[in-house]
Amino acid sequence: MEILVCVKRVPATGGRITLTPDGQEIDTRFLGFTVSPHEECAVEEAVRIVEAQGGSSAVLTLGPSVAEEQLRDAMAIGIDRAILLETDGREFDPVATAAAIVDVVRAREAAGAPFDLILFGNEAADSGDFQVGIRVAVALGRPVVTGTKSLTLRDGAVVARREAPAGGWETYELPLPAVVSVKEGLNLPRYPSIPGRLRAKRKEIERVEPAWSSTGPVKLGLRLPEEQGAQVEILGRGPEAASDVVDLLVKIGILAS
Amino acid sequence: MSGVLVFVEHADGELDRLSREALALGASLAAAAGGPLEAVLVGPGADRAAAAIGPAVSTAHLVSDDRLDAYAPAAWAAAIVELIESRSPSAVLAGGSDRGNEVLAHVAARTARPMAANVVSVSVGDTWRLTRQRWAGSLLEDATLDADVRLLTVAPHSVPVAESDAAASAPTPPTIAPFQPAVHEPDLVARVIGHEAPEAGTISLTDARVVVGGGRGVGSVEAFATLEELAGLLGGAVGGSRVVTSAGWRPHSDQIGQTGLRIAPELYVACGISGAIQHIVGCKAARRILAINTDPESPIMGVADYAVIGDLHQVVPAISAEIRRRAAGPG
C-alpha cells in the first residue's frame, strides 16, 4: 500500500489573532507553526495503515522552505519520506495548489511508483477552502469522499464512515486508488519519540518547484470580525447563584414559570 | 437567466437549516443581479421540501433519477453542472454543510471554476466582491471572485433566516420542474451504501435548544454526569471542547468548535471552558451564552451574556437542585 498524505503549515493560533499592519497576513512573529488537527489524524492513519499492511508512506506540503518543519514532524511519527512543493512565499489558491499536487502524483505514476491512497485533512485550518482534495481527485479521475471519521481497508477498497446530516453514520466504499479527506476523531495521533525525531532530522526532503497561477478568489485583505460587544452580566458567585440562574432560565423562556 | 441557483438539502422532505441560510443569501443576490432565484433538490422527499421552500424561489428543479436517491456527491454535482449549462445562473450557492461544500467543490472541479467556501456576504457588480470566513470565522477575508458562474457556500449561521421564509403556505409556490440528468456510472462509485441511525432518544447537538458544554475544568468522565443531569432538566444536549474529546472524556462527535460542530442553540451553558478561539467559533452563534467559570478574566467572558463565577462542580448541581425544587412546587 502506497500512501500520500497532504498537509499545510499554519500558525498555531490560540488566543487572539493579530494581523500585520497591511492587513494581508496573520502576524506570526510570536507564533509557532503546526498543521490542522484533521491533518494530524491523516498522518497518523497513514502510519497505522503501513504498519498493519506494509508498503510505504509519503507526506507532501506546498509552502515556503520553512514548511520543512511540518514534513519532519510527520516523519518523526513514522512517515517514510517527504515532498516539499516549495513556494516563494506567495499564497497559492485552491486551484493552483491542487494542480501542483496532481503534477507530483502523475510524475510518480509515470515513474512506476503510483499512490494507492491519497489522504487530506477535510479543510485547511487557515483558508478553509474545502476543495483541494476533491479537485485533485477529479483531475486524477479517482473516487473521493470527504469528512471521514473512520477508515478501513479491505480487498483493494477503502471503507469510509462519516457523520450523516440528520444524525447517525453513513458508509462509502471506494475502490483503490482513491482520495479520502479525513476529520479529527478518526484516531488519536501519537506523540513523536526522541529517536523518531532524530531519524526524521536526517532524512532527505525532495523539493519541487510548483507553478503559481491565480484563479480566485483573490484576497484583498484580512480583518478581524467585529466583537459582539455584549457586556457580560455576572449573575453571582458560587452555588448561591443557582436561584438567579433559574430566574434567568425562566425569564428567557428556557424553563416554564 | 442571470439569476441564482441554490442547491437545497433536505432530510426526507424537511428543509436543512443551512440550506435555508443559503436560500436567504441567494434571494438577496438574485435581487441584486436582477434575475430569478431557483433551487435544485435531489433525493426522496424533494417534492415535499420544494413545496415548503418559500415564495422567493421561482422554480424548483427536482432531480428525478432513482440512481441518485442515495447521496453520491460526484453524480449530484454532475446534475447541477447540467442545470448550470441550461439555466446559465450568475451564481450557484450551497449551505456550509459537509454535503454543501462537497457537492459544490465537485461542481467547481468538474467545470474548472473557482469556488469560495464559507461566504458571509457578497456585493454584486462587474467583479463580485465577497467576504468569507477563514479560521472557521475567527478571521474574515475580503476577496474578489471573477468567474462567469460564481460558486459559493454560505458560512453556517452567518446569514439571518426570516421565519416566514419557511412558510409552507406561500402565496405563489415555486414551479416544480422535474429534471432527468445524464448519469455516468463512474460518478456513482462514491455513494452512500449504508446508514446507521442515531441512538433513539438522543437530541443532536446541532438541533438542541439548549446545549451544556464542558471544558478542561470538568476534569473527568465522571464529572460529566452533572452536566448530563442539567442538560436533561433543560431538554438539551451535552457537548465539549477539544480538550475534552482529545482526553476521551466525551466522544469526538460531541466536540464543539473549529474541527467539530458549529451549534446555534437558544442557550449555550459553557462550564469550565476558558474560551480558546477554536471553541468560540463553534458556539458563538448561540442566541445566549451563560458561562460558569472560576476565572472572571477567562476569554469566554468576552463572548458570554451571563456568567456565574465559581466552580462548576458546585454551581451546576446547585442549579439542577434549584430547578427540581421549583418543579416540586411551593413548600
mmCIF file of all heavy atoms in Angstrom, chain B residues 325-326 328-331:
data_model
loop_
_atom_site.group_PDB
_atom_site.id
_atom_site.type_symbol
_atom_site.label_atom_id
_atom_site.label_comp_id
_atom_site.label_asym_id
_atom_site.label_seq_id
_atom_site.Cartn_x
_atom_site.Cartn_y
_atom_site.Cartn_z
ATOM 1 N N ARG B 325 -36.311 21.726 42.826
ATOM 2 C CA ARG B 325 -37.037 22.251 43.975
ATOM 3 C C ARG B 325 -38.258 23.033 43.499
ATOM 4 O O ARG B 325 -39.368 22.844 43.983
ATOM 5 C CB ARG B 325 -36.107 23.162 44.797
ATOM 6 C CG ARG B 325 -36.656 23.537 46.175
ATOM 7 C CD ARG B 325 -35.748 24.547 46.880
ATOM 8 N NE ARG B 325 -35.710 25.849 46.231
ATOM 9 C CZ ARG B 325 -36.695 26.744 46.277
ATOM 10 N NH1 ARG B 325 -37.799 26.496 46.951
ATOM 11 N NH2 ARG B 325 -36.574 27.900 45.646
ATOM 12 N N ARG B 326 -38.049 23.874 42.472
ATOM 13 C CA ARG B 326 -39.177 24.692 41.988
ATOM 14 C C ARG B 326 -40.227 23.821 41.283
ATOM 15 O O ARG B 326 -41.418 24.089 41.379
ATOM 16 C CB ARG B 326 -38.688 25.776 41.042
ATOM 17 C CG ARG B 326 -37.838 26.803 41.759
ATOM 18 C CD ARG B 326 -37.702 28.060 40.927
ATOM 19 N NE ARG B 326 -36.606 28.870 41.409
ATOM 20 C CZ ARG B 326 -36.258 30.037 40.904
ATOM 21 N NH1 ARG B 326 -36.923 30.527 39.877
ATOM 22 N NH2 ARG B 326 -35.255 30.718 41.409
ATOM 23 N N ALA B 328 -41.006 20.894 42.013
ATOM 24 C CA ALA B 328 -41.761 20.141 43.018
ATOM 25 C C ALA B 328 -42.867 20.992 43.629
ATOM 26 O O ALA B 328 -43.723 20.495 44.348
ATOM 27 C CB ALA B 328 -40.819 19.631 44.110
ATOM 28 N N GLY B 329 -42.840 22.300 43.336
ATOM 29 C CA GLY B 329 -43.901 23.180 43.805
ATOM 30 C C GLY B 329 -43.543 23.849 45.108
ATOM 31 O O GLY B 329 -42.561 23.484 45.759
ATOM 32 N N PRO B 330 -44.317 24.860 45.472
ATOM 33 C CA PRO B 330 -44.026 25.622 46.684
ATOM 34 C C PRO B 330 -44.132 24.732 47.909
ATOM 35 O O PRO B 330 -44.886 23.779 47.929
ATOM 36 C CB PRO B 330 -45.088 26.729 46.688
ATOM 37 C CG PRO B 330 -46.163 26.250 45.766
ATOM 38 C CD PRO B 330 -45.547 25.289 44.798
ATOM 39 N N GLY B 331 -43.332 25.122 48.915
ATOM 40 C CA GLY B 331 -43.336 24.369 50.185
ATOM 41 C C GLY B 331 -42.420 23.243 49.986
ATOM 42 O O GLY B 331 -41.822 22.664 50.774
#
